[in-house]
Amino acid sequence: MNTLHLVVTTICDRDCKYCCNNKYDIANLPYATDEDFQWADMLCLTGGEPFEYSNPCNLANHYRGKYNNLKAILVY
């Protein structure tokens, strides 16, 4: 499955021991393009803390409506 990880917020108030985003330099991540979304089967909304500092349900509904190729949308 082709997966696109979309950072929706960089704000986080936790220090999770096994955080998967600690390995990224957030400031230098590329922006997602329309082509990236069209290529993806799965979209992972991530961040910081997406549920506390964004509305991932609204984002998921937006992207599901715009890109019918997305088979799954997950929130990390």
Side-chain angles (χ1 to χ4, degrees), residues 6-12 45-60 75-76:
L6 183 65
V7 176
V8 297
T9 181
T10 59
I11 302 170
C12 185
L45 303 175
T46 187
E49 188 63 47
F51 279 110
E52 190 162 346
Y53 298 106
S54 68
N55 192 328
C57 295
N58 283 350
L59 290 170
V75 179
Y76 288 156

Side-chain angles (χ1 to χ4, degrees), residues 29-76:
L29 288 176
Y31 287 92
T33 65
D34 187 59
E35 183 178 303
D36 294 327
F37 283 98
Q38 292 175 8
W39 162 87
D41 298 314
M42 181 186 310
L43 175 62
C44 295
L45 303 175
T46 187
E49 188 63 47
F51 279 110
E52 190 162 346
Y53 298 106
S54 68
N55 192 328
C57 295
N58 283 350
L59 290 170
N61 286 334
H62 167 77
Y63 288 117
R64 185 170 303 283
K66 187 169 181 177
Y67 299 100
N68 60 8
N69 54 292
L70 294 172
K71 296 180 177 95
I73 300 177
L74 307 175
V75 179
Y76 288 156

Side-chain angles (χ1 to χ4, degrees), residues 12-30:
C12 185
D13 60 354
R14 297 187 181 144
D15 186 20
C16 299
K17 184 176 181 179
Y18 299 107
C19 178
C20 63
N21 291 325
N22 287 338
K23 62 183 175 182
Y24 301 113
D25 178 4
I26 298 291
N28 289 314
L29 288 176

